[in-house]
Amino acid sequence: MAETATLARPYAEAVFRLADAGGTLAAWSGTLRTLAQAAAHPDMQDCMSKYDLTHAQLQGLFMSLAAGAMSAEAKNFVNVLIENGRLAALPEIYALFEELKNEREGVVDARIITAFELQGAQLANLVADLEKRFKRKINPQVSIDRDLIGGVRVVVGDEVIDGSVRSKLNAMAAGLLAS
């Protein structure tokens, strides 16, 4: 995985600089998301790994799978990736681009794991509290894990805030065993 990130980083940084200079971060984010999804498609993965396709054949196949009107810059970017054998790195390029974009915009991703679905106001209040704590805009990614029993677990960067019932029970059990 680290090898893919190492290969993808220069491409992500180059696209980020291009998009940042042109004021097109949001547009490139959408384009890269589409390209990453196309590159991650199982049929595309098979074509990249199992078949000896020419650059032109791979480009035609990829462009048909990526679908939609693509800017000339995006087509050139895809061509560069194909010529350098880096098309499979597109999902990682997209992830790294999003990190750079979020950093520029003062946004941080927060994984919010909850035992039960959060209602609109509950999520909004939690996000507002997290934004106060981290002094940045929060991009919430909510998932449900019934094993938590209740409460939430929040992961922002390398910081974990665990307010789940499961973690409290585990702490009580450890305390009882220690005494």
Side-chain angles (χ1 to χ4, degrees), residues 163-177:
S164 68
V165 172
R166 168 69 58 208
S167 108
K168 292 180 188 332
L169 289 172
N170 288 342
M172 285 175 47
L176 289 172
L177 290 175

Side-chain angles (χ1 to χ4, degrees), residues 79-94:
N79 287 337
V80 168
L81 293 175
I82 290 171
E83 288 172 11
N84 293 311
R86 301 290 187 251
L87 195 59
L90 261 167
E92 187 69 27
I93 291 168
Y94 170 64

Side-chain angles (χ1 to χ4, degrees), residues 20-43:
D20 194 31
T24 56
L25 287 172
W28 267 102
S29 178
T31 298
L32 287 173
R33 181 182 323 107
T34 301
L35 295 176
Q37 290 169 344
H41 192 280
D43 292 341

Side-chain angles (χ1 to χ4, degrees), residues 15-127:
V15 171
F16 176 77
R17 284 192 303 273
L18 175 73
D20 194 31
T24 56
L25 287 172
W28 267 102
S29 178
T31 298
L32 287 173
R33 181 182 323 107
T34 301
L35 295 176
Q37 290 169 344
H41 192 280
D43 292 341
M44 191 70 220
Q45 292 284 317
D46 282 348
C47 288
M48 287 187 288
S49 64
K50 294 181 182 174
Y51 304 106
D52 189 25
L53 301 176
T54 66
H55 291 310
Q57 290 171 323
L58 188 56
Q59 179 190 14
L61 181 64
F62 185 77
M63 293 302 185
S64 69
L65 190 58
M70 214 182 302
S71 71
E73 291 173 326
K75 288 178 183 176
N76 288 339
F77 181 65
V78 169
N79 287 337
V80 168
L81 293 175
I82 290 171
E83 288 172 11
N84 293 311
R86 301 290 187 251
L87 195 59
L90 261 167
E92 187 69 27
I93 291 168
Y94 170 64
L96 292 168
F97 177 88
E98 286 299 305
E99 286 177 18
L100 293 167
K101 178 180 164 285
N102 286 345
E103 187 176 317
R104 166 74 77 228
E105 295 173 344
V107 176
V108 65
D109 288 332
R111 282 191 10 240
I112 300 171
I113 302 105
T114 178
F116 302 99
E117 186 174 337
L118 294 175
Q119 301 305 314
Q122 293 171 315
L123 180 59
N125 290 338
L126 178 58
V127 168

